[in-house]
Amino acid sequence: MTEKRIVLGVTGGVAAYKACELVRLCVKAGIAVDVVMTQAGEHFVTAVTFQALSGRRVYTDLWDASIPNNMAHIELTRDATGIVVVPATADFMAKLVHGRADDLLSTLIVARQSTCPLLVAPAMNVEMWQNPATQRNAAQLRADGITLLGPGKGDQACGETGDGRMLEPEDIFRSIQALFSPKLLAGKRVLITAGPTQEPIDPVRVITNHSSGKMGFAIAAAARAAGAEVTLVCGPVTLPSPIGVSRVDVQTAREMFDAVKLHVGRSDVFIAVAAVADYFVVDSSKQKIKKDGSGKLLLELAENPDILAYVAALPGAPFCVGFAAESENLLEHAEAKRKRKKLPLLVANLAQEAFGADDNHIMLLDDAGTHTLPRAAKTELARYIVEKVASAIRRQP
Ligand code: PMT
């Protein structure tokens, strides 16, 4: 069995301490980590710490005479599944943009094969991140096919608050895990709806539901990890975008419908996870509705378009996956929904367990019958659903 291995670059930022936890997570998951530190990185954490955590030699010097052929800058990356720079300073990002090669880490990055993915987790003060030069560099790195992991927003070591905070080790670890996922959906385009929709009653009130977007976002991340090009159309949620996924934010069902119509033509798979409002308020008020003393408020509702039914009925429709959240008679209602919308695959869940939770209990319904999965984290179920979709589309004529 070939060893699972990455190269972890550590540059000079205070977030370097979080790289220690990342190494621990990788090692625990059976991923070998060759740590390469810049001189600045060594000011924050010592090589000995990484040596102890990784159980391997740590590389710090381009001119290390103890390496027999002195080719660490070539050999370290050759069988590695990827290079991950954690943290990446503003200075190191600038270096990457210009292809500079004046220390071991920058040299091995320049010398990596084009098939070796490079992931970079920026970490810096909010002003440094927002500086136009850093923003230009970030855009250039993305254009060069380098994946930027974050940065996130929040309190910073310097005492300021804002963008530039490094992602947490667990988030970066998920992206590392994704490097090792089988690319079952390579070359496929997947369109996903997620979250709730909001139907305005007036400028301050909406009709909505409790969908958090967690299930749809987890599927988007899993599809991306499986190599798909993913577009995620989502209603109002507070979740960060999954890395590498193109996101379209909408509010109402009709906006979601428009966004789906725009992207569906180039999609191989459509997964409708969103809890779309069935009705919208006709002529929603432009001004805040005041009490009129009658003790009631009558709203006229009209039916929203059924996005999934529309897509499934398109000539040459993508492979369609529907969801059904029911509060009773789950199987019966879900199978009726699958038949009515003519779906090859439907995921059924109980509304009272599924909305907002981190885990779920789902059943998959297809022409072969029903398959119940044990309760699991939505991230895990997402991987299973993606595998199921990949094997179904492989079997398609
Ligand atoms: O977001 P989370 O908090 O993680 O919760 C996940 C979830 C509960 C929202 C998800 O697992 C789920 O079940 N989504 C479907 C919710 C639902 O009740 O759908 P529905 O029965 O109204 O619709 C059936 C299917 O048609 C769904 O795939 C839906 O996206 C789609 N639909 C429905 C109405 C409409 N106008 N357009 C649609 O595309």
Side-chain angles (χ1 to χ4, degrees), residues 211-215 272-274 305 307-308 323 337 341 349 356 378:
S211 169
S212 61
K214 287 177 189 169
M215 190 72 239
V273 195
I307 304 167
L308 176 58
F323 269 69
K337 216 166 255 182
K341 300 196 187 190
N349 47 201
K378 284 180 177 172

Side-chain angles (χ1 to χ4, degrees), residues 248-263:
V248 182
D249 286 290
V250 297
Q251 184 190 9
T252 66
R254 286 169 293 164
E255 285 170 12
M256 187 172 272
F257 188 37
D258 288 343
V260 166
K261 282 194 288 189
L262 197 65
H263 291 93

